[in-house]
Amino acid sequence: MYKEVNKFKNSGSFQFSPSDELEVVCNAPMNASGVFLVYAIEEEEKVLIMVGSTGTVQNDGTLKAKNGGLFDKIVNGHQFAKTARKYSWKTQLKLEKIEAVEVFWYETYTDKTKVIPTFVEAQILQLYLKENGKLPKWNVAF
């Protein structure tokens, strides 16, 4: 896990496998912006395979949040052939023979904590790049 996310109080996690419905198991809030980290569960180990974020800070310091917040970004965001994750993740897990993933989400921009979601995403990706020489396998580019 990355210590960069420890300071965010509103957070949670859920597991998803090909037999699940992502929109049912996802417990991320619909009215929050922040980051999410996706770990493949491989035997006794969790391997980071993706980092994502949602929410844009405007010039005046306000947050422009996507309708549906973190929940919608995780469930309906496009990935793998521009298909909503609620469909594409099932297929990708089967293709890669991954039994399940665990998704950790963190609300990074609130009235009290104002950290730009893409900043946190970039920090984690930079650390991963430094440690592994590449981005997580489900992150195409950054």
Side-chain angles (χ1 to χ4, degrees):
M1 298 297 290
Y2 290 87
K3 64 178 174 43
E4 288 70 21
V5 294
N6 291 344
K7 63 184 161 200
F8 304 116
K9 302 296 182 226
N10 190 19
S11 62
S13 68
F14 63 91
Q15 288 191 0
F16 172 75
S17 69
S19 63
D20 293 323
E21 297 301 326
L22 188 54
E23 61 269 35
V24 173
V25 297
C26 180
N27 62 1
M30 292 184 175
N31 60 348
S33 293
V35 297
F36 58 98
L37 285 66
V38 182
Y39 289 85
I41 301 171
E42 298 177 356
E43 297 173 23
E44 299 295 315
E45 191 176 27
K46 292 180 185 172
V47 177
L48 182 67
I49 58 173
M50 185 192 161
V51 181
S53 68
T54 185
T56 306
V57 178
Q58 302 299 299
N59 180 270
D60 63 359
T62 60
L63 182 74
K64 181 180 179 185
K66 182 179 181 188
N67 287 342
L70 276 163
F71 177 89
D72 190 63
K73 182 71 172 196
I74 293 168
V75 172
N76 296 310
H78 288 184
Q79 189 171 9
F80 307 117
K82 303 219 182 269
T83 304
R85 290 186 182 100
K86 65 184 172 184
Y87 306 117
S88 65
W89 277 10
K90 284 180 178 248
T91 303
Q92 198 65 26
L93 290 177
K94 290 174 188 173
L95 280 173
E96 295 185 30
K97 295 180 173 56
I98 299 172
E99 289 182 29
V101 292
E102 188 162 9
V103 180
F104 293 85
W105 56 265
Y106 305 88
E107 185 176 7
T108 66
Y109 205 90
T110 66
D111 290 338
K112 294 181 180 180
T113 306
K114 296 188 184 305
V115 182
I116 299 169
T118 51
F119 173 72
V120 179
E121 179 185 18
Q123 281 184 306
I124 294 167
L125 288 173
Q126 181 63 53
L127 289 168
Y128 187 93
L129 179 65
K130 184 178 178 182
E131 293 168 4
N132 299 282
K134 60 184 178 180
L135 294 178
K137 67 180 175 178
W138 284 11
N139 282 94
V140 176
F142 187 79

